[in-house]
């Protein structure tokens, strides 16, 4: 019986000892405060600091797209329709200015050359007749009527001849070769600019109608930001200001840019002004035209009372810090205080003034995660 009583007392003592140890090792919460021991404070490497004055960027928030200037985007078309005879290009291929893009074939090309050849032959005769009638008129041998008729016929035919010649040049067909009787049923369309193919609508054997877009080329060396800034913010934006932007649908990475041009008129129902931003050369190859961007234009800086980012606790869209209430022997007591925050930078977050937090407040800045978890 005595052995049983001693065994029971031993078990109770061990249980009490374990409970006491557990209490020593855990954070205690009572009276709305969070209590930890000095041993816990040191083991986690916690730190208490006062809020400090920091510089924060004042930004204008805006959005827009990645784009290129009009002269660096080209839609390739033909003014005379034809069938695609050959092309080896795909979307993403790089092309140089003047490079052959696609070859078209059509009997219409032959018809223009035949008409030009006829005009070329006819113009020789009409020119000779015009000069002959002019001479006879000057010598008062022929009437003015005959002279004016010859001049009219020559000038009318010359106009048609010049028009057909320009068409041939647009089609990249050499008029001199046509006058020698060397006709062709094919024409090659060349690239008007250097860049990357972003749209390709041509397949071999496909008919390309006049003015239809065969392909589209973009010179990505001239990518830029095209931002829309609201009227209320535009007077803050100046050339040379820095821009930080993200492509939210593709990455969280922040890219740099700079304000290059600021529009001079308000556009659309939303009353915005276009702002053109230059991109850093190192990032252009990673971006695509048409990408949607969200951007911050740094317009100034301001000072504010701040704590390290790690000192902030965010729960249910509300923000808190742990304020040191008391420090007694081997015991720290913290109060969880709600705060309103302002702007942020990489290391600090601005704490807006309130009746509890000020420049003299002592706040837990390191070990907060361990404390709340």
């Amino acid at each position: 019986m005595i052995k049983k009583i001693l065994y029971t007392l031993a078990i109770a003592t061990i249980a009490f000892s374990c409970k006491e140890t557990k209490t020593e090792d855990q954070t205690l919460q009572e009276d709305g405060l969070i209590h930890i021991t000095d041993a816990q404070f040191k083991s986690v490497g916690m730190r208490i600091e006062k809020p400090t004055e920091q510089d924060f960027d004042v930004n204008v928030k805006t959005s827009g797209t990645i784009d290129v200037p009009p002269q660096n985007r080209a839609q390739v078309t033909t003014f005379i329709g034809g069938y695609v005879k050959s092309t080896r290009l795909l979307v993403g291929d790089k092309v140089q200015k003047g490079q052959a893009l696609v070859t078209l074939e059509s009997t219409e090309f032959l018809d223009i050359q035949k008409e030009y050849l006829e005009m070329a032959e006819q113009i020789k005769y009409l020119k000779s007749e015009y000069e002959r009638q002019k001479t006879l008129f000057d010598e008062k041998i022929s009437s003015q009527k005959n002279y004016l008729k010859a001049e009219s016929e020559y000038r009318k035919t010359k106009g048609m001849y010049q028009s057909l010649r320009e068409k041939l040049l647009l089609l990249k067909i050499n008029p001199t070769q046509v006058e020698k009787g060397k006709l062709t049923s094919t024409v090659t369309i060349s690239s008007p600019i250097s860049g990357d193919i972003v749209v390709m609508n041509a397949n071999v054997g496909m008919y390309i109608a006049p003015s239809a877009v065969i392909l589209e080329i973009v010179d990505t060396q001239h990518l830029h930001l095209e931002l829309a800034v609201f009227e209320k913010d535009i007077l803050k934006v100046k050339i040379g200001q820095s821009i930080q932007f993200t492509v939210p649908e593709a990455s969280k990475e922040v890219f740099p840019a700079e304000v290059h041009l600021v529009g001079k008129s308000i556009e659309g129902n939303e009353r915005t002004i276009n702002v053109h931003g230059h991109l850093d050369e190192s990032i252009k190859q990673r971006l695509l035209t048409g990408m949607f961007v969200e951007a911050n234009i740094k317009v100034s800086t301001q000072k504010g009372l701040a704590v390290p980012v790690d000192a902030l606790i965010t729960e249910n869209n509300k923000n808190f810090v742990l304020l040191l209430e008391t420090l007694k022997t081997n015991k720290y007591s913290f109060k969880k205080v709600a705060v309103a925050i302002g702007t942020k930078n990489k290391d600090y977050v601005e704490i807006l003034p309130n009746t509890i937090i000020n420049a003299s407040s002592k706040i837990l800045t390191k070990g907060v995660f361990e404390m709340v978890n």
Side-chain angles (χ1 to χ4, degrees), residues 7-19:
Y7 179 77
T8 303
L9 287 172
I11 294 296
T13 303
I14 292 170
F16 180 78
S17 176
C18 290
K19 183 178 180 182

Side-chain angles (χ1 to χ4, degrees), residues 248-304:
E249 295 299 322
S251 170
K252 293 183 179 179
E253 185 176 355
V254 179
F255 299 102
E258 183 180 284
V259 176
H260 182 65
L261 292 172
V262 179
K264 301 300 181 183
S265 64
I266 297 172
E267 306 290 340
N269 295 329
E270 294 186 352
R271 299 189 65 78
T272 59
I273 296 90
N274 290 332
V275 172
H276 176 109
H278 266 192
L279 299 175
D280 192 274
E281 291 294 331
S282 61
I283 65 173
K284 285 184 178 180
Q285 294 303 318
R286 300 172 57 191
L287 301 172
L288 302 173
T289 55
M291 278 181 162
F292 173 77
V293 303
E294 292 179 345
N296 287 319
I297 303 174
K298 179 182 173 182
V299 295
S300 64
T301 59
Q302 66 180 19
K303 293 187 179 296

Side-chain angles (χ1 to χ4, degrees), residues 96 148 160 179 192 245 252 294 346 350 355 357 367:
Q96 299 299 318
L148 293 177
M160 296 172 65
E179 290 179 22
F245 72 94
K252 293 183 179 179
E294 292 179 345
K346 182 180 178 183
E350 182 185 11
T355 57
I357 304 298

Side-chain angles (χ1 to χ4, degrees), residues 60-162:
V60 167
K61 294 185 179 296
T62 182
S63 61
T65 57
I66 303 292
D67 206 351
V68 293
Q71 65 270 24
N72 297 110
R73 180 191 294 272
Q75 290 185 330
V76 179
T77 62
T78 177
F79 66 94
I80 297 178
Y83 292 90
V84 178
K85 184 176 182 181
S86 66
T87 183
R88 296 181 178 180
L89 298 172
L90 297 171
V91 171
D93 282 341
K94 291 186 177 296
V95 294
Q96 299 299 318
K97 184 177 181 178
Q99 178 181 331
L101 300 175
V102 61
T103 299
L104 299 181
E105 187 172 37
S106 174
T107 56
E108 287 189 59
F109 304 145
L110 287 173
D111 293 340
I112 293 174
Q113 293 168 82
K114 289 177 184 177
E115 191 175 352
Y116 172 78
L117 190 58
E118 291 172 0
M119 287 293 174
E121 294 297 325
Q122 193 174 0
I123 199 73
K124 293 177 184 177
Y125 165 75
L126 292 175
K127 182 180 180 181
S128 175
E129 179 63 15
Y130 161 67
E131 291 174 346
R132 188 177 74 84
Q133 287 295 334
K134 186 176 185 303
T135 302
L136 293 175
F137 175 70
D138 291 341
E139 294 178 355
K140 302 188 183 307
I141 298 174
S142 179
S143 67
Q144 184 182 30
K145 179 181 178 181
N146 291 337
Y147 163 65
L148 293 177
K149 182 179 179 181
E151 181 183 35
S152 175
E153 288 292 327
Y154 170 64
R155 294 191 182 281
K156 181 175 70 174
T157 306
K158 185 179 181 181
M160 296 172 65
Y161 169 81
Q162 292 289 356

